[in-house]
Amino acid sequence: MQNDAVYMARALELAQLGRFTTSPNPNVGCVIVLNDQIVGEGFHLRAGEPHAEVHALRMAGEKALGATAYVTLEPCSHHGRTPPCADALISAGVKRVVAAMQDPNPEVAGRGLFRLQQAGIEVEHGLMMAQAERVNQGFFKRMRTGFPYLQLKLAASLDGKTAMASGESQWITSEASRKDVQQFRAESSAILSTSATVIADNPSLNVRWSELSNGIRQEYPERDLRQPLRIILDGHNRVTPDLRLFSLPGDILLVRTERGDERWPDNIEKMVIPAHNGGIDLVVLMMQLGRRQINTIWTEAGPTLAGALLQAGLVDELVLYMAPKLLGDDARGLCKLPGLSALSQAPEFKLADVQQVGNDLRLRLLPQT
Ligand code: AOF
Ligand code: ZN
């Protein structure tokens, strides 16, 4: 139908409203239309609460009878924390369902659409699929591979340096870039850093909702503004409880290579991962974080972790803030990639987006495979 794309675009807009809260669930939006009029709208806010379709059906009431439902993800067919949305659409008497894409969750994976079809509902899928993919990059990667979607934040000078020789590095980029970072943190399931970084910079690694630029604080009730999980890699047991991040709200997951119970700080989650090349085995770590239902990881650390993640092929996206400064020859490089000797071995990236942020440039880059 002619207006299908308009209604799906609205459903995608609604799906986006869940981006700070739905993890580990996906962002999903739903619009119900009768006689070319929107009679119901909804989105998924939080795991354990009703799915997008249920909110939209509640709003539509009896007007769902004979209507078309536009959903950004295949309606679910399983009993998870909530009952199947496919059944709710069938009992409400919806006539047609248009889904942007199938749900890659193996519990669903086509069964939702099949069940609707079996009930005599007209079913279509694939409308605005590329956009629908983008609202759930993390959830989809985890469902398809078991690994989280990992973003690596880097901050560099014009000459590609990230810190002075002394290690001084915290304020290379502008205030505007630091605000921009808050947005990425807020949308992530977890923020990943290392003991080296938290000891050197003593950062909060949490979301300062008041600093987010676009009025998010007004749009969302206080209870919805969760803090992403802070994951600290501490391969050499160096983290101590006096660091700032321990005194701020939000959960912390400390990752070490040996248990040694007595020396862990209190009130944190512990994870023990085998050692690899003198550090934590990052591939095993990511598998475990996927199992722990972490969809997206925002990484803020130094050149060692950056290089190791890149070499292990675990980075899905680089977000590079480039400040118009020169730090000179003695400054430190952006990421440690030992053993590169030929240009043919140099990792390459595809530029996905470039934006000016204050006086800095923000580049979003995807590894070339
Ligand atoms: C939908 N609509 O709005 C969402 C869906 O534990 P539950 O009951 O919340 O189910 C979670 C799973 O349901 C999730 O992994 C994904 O496959 C699907 N999410 N499905 O029809 C929604 N959020
Ligand atoms: Zn559902």
Side-chain angles (χ1 to χ4, degrees):
M1 281 225 301
Q2 190 183 351
N3 288 330
D4 281 355
V6 174
Y7 297 127
M8 189 59 86
R10 175 64 187 148
L12 284 162
E13 208 172 84
L14 291 164
Q16 283 281 355
L17 295 175
R19 70 194 184 282
F20 302 113
T21 49
T22 56
S23 176
N25 271 2
N27 300 315
V28 183
C30 176
V31 170
I32 298 180
V33 175
L34 183 69
N35 301 328
D36 221 12
Q37 283 208 329
I38 295 182
V39 293
E41 285 193 338
F43 66 96
H44 185 51
L45 180 66
R46 198 195 326 266
E49 292 185 13
H51 287 179
E53 298 89 325
V54 172
H55 286 298
L57 286 170
R58 279 183 193 162
M59 181 174 159
E62 286 176 3
K63 291 190 176 143
L65 191 67
T68 298
Y70 297 84
V71 208
T72 60
L73 187 68
E74 171 183 8
C76 65
S77 51
H78 69 305
H79 287 268
R81 298 174 192 88
T82 66
C85 291
D87 293 353
L89 291 162
I90 295 166
S91 9
V94 165
K95 183 169 156 247
R96 178 170 170 250
V97 172
V98 183
M101 58 184 290
Q102 280 198 13
D103 185 349
N105 183 352
E107 300 245 44
V108 185
R111 288 185 207 96
L113 296 176
F114 183 70
R115 190 180 297 191
L116 294 167
Q117 246 165 7
Q118 293 290 296
I121 294 177
E122 251 177 80
V123 175
E124 287 161 51
H125 70 96
L127 178 67
M128 304 179 85
M129 191 154 86
Q131 291 92 321
E133 278 277 346
R134 278 200 289 275
V135 297
N136 282 309
Q137 275 170 317
F139 176 80
F140 293 154
K141 178 164 180 210
R142 178 166 70 83
M143 285 299 147
R144 289 170 183 148
T145 68
F147 284 74
Y149 184 89
L150 187 136
Q151 292 174 308
L152 175 60
K153 177 230 163 186
L154 298 167
S157 61
L158 278 184
D159 47 353
K161 306 291 184 178
T162 195
M164 300 311 287
S166 64
E168 185 189 351
S169 69
Q170 243 183 329
W171 312 120
I172 290 181
T173 53
S174 66
E175 179 72 33
S177 292
R178 293 200 293 275
K179 265 194 180 165
D180 198 62
V181 164
Q182 290 289 318
Q183 183 82 29
F184 283 100
R185 284 185 181 178
E187 290 184 22
S188 301
S189 314
I191 298 171
L192 174 66
S193 194
T194 62
S195 51
T197 297
V198 297
I199 290 167
D201 298 346
N202 207 12
S204 70
L205 297 178
N206 67 0
V207 179
R208 290 181 289 280
W209 291 99
S210 56
E211 281 182 30
L212 285 172
S213 34
N214 47 6
I216 284 161
R217 220 191 163 82
Q218 283 84 57
E219 270 176 56
Y220 292 82
E222 190 75 30
R223 69 178 186 115
D224 291 342
L225 302 178
R226 79 191 156 91
Q227 287 291 339
L229 177 70
R230 289 166 293 172
I231 304 169
I232 312 298
L233 306 188
D234 188 26
H236 302 286
N237 305 350
R238 295 203 293 143
V239 160
T240 50
D242 53 312
L243 291 163
R244 199 151 82 91
L245 78 160
F246 289 104
S247 63
L248 295 164
D251 294 335
I252 294 175
L253 168 64
L254 199 57
V255 184
R256 290 181 168 172
T257 54
E258 60 202 71
R259 187 144 283 285
D261 270 326
E262 69 288 357
R263 287 157 62 217
W264 293 75
D266 294 330
N267 302 323
I268 50 137
E269 189 182 335
K270 304 170 188 177
M271 189 180 266
V272 176
I273 297 289
H276 180 70
N277 287 344
I280 284 162
D281 188 324
L282 296 172
V283 175
V284 176
L285 170 71
M286 289 307 150
M287 259 161 46
Q288 292 298 343
L289 294 177
R291 281 204 194 142
R292 203 191 161 290
Q293 300 195 306
I294 300 288
N295 289 342
T296 51
I297 296 181
W298 173 253
T299 313
E300 292 190 42
T304 310
L305 183 65
L309 287 168
L310 283 164
Q311 285 194 318
L314 292 167
V315 177
D316 292 292
E317 183 180 341
L318 296 186
V319 180
L320 169 63
Y321 293 88
M322 190 170 252
K325 281 181 188 157
L326 293 167
L327 299 189
D329 279 355
D330 296 334
R332 297 183 187 179
L334 198 53
C335 45
K336 286 202 177 124
L337 294 170
L340 286 188
S341 53
L343 208 47
S344 60
Q345 300 167 327
E348 286 189 36
F349 301 87
K350 199 173 108 209
L351 202 48
D353 180 64
V354 187
Q355 253 191 49
Q356 184 171 346
V357 179
N359 202 31
D360 300 328
L361 262 191
R362 186 189 72 196
L363 315 183
R364 295 182 73 158
L365 301 145
L366 308 177
Q368 293 275 47
T369 42

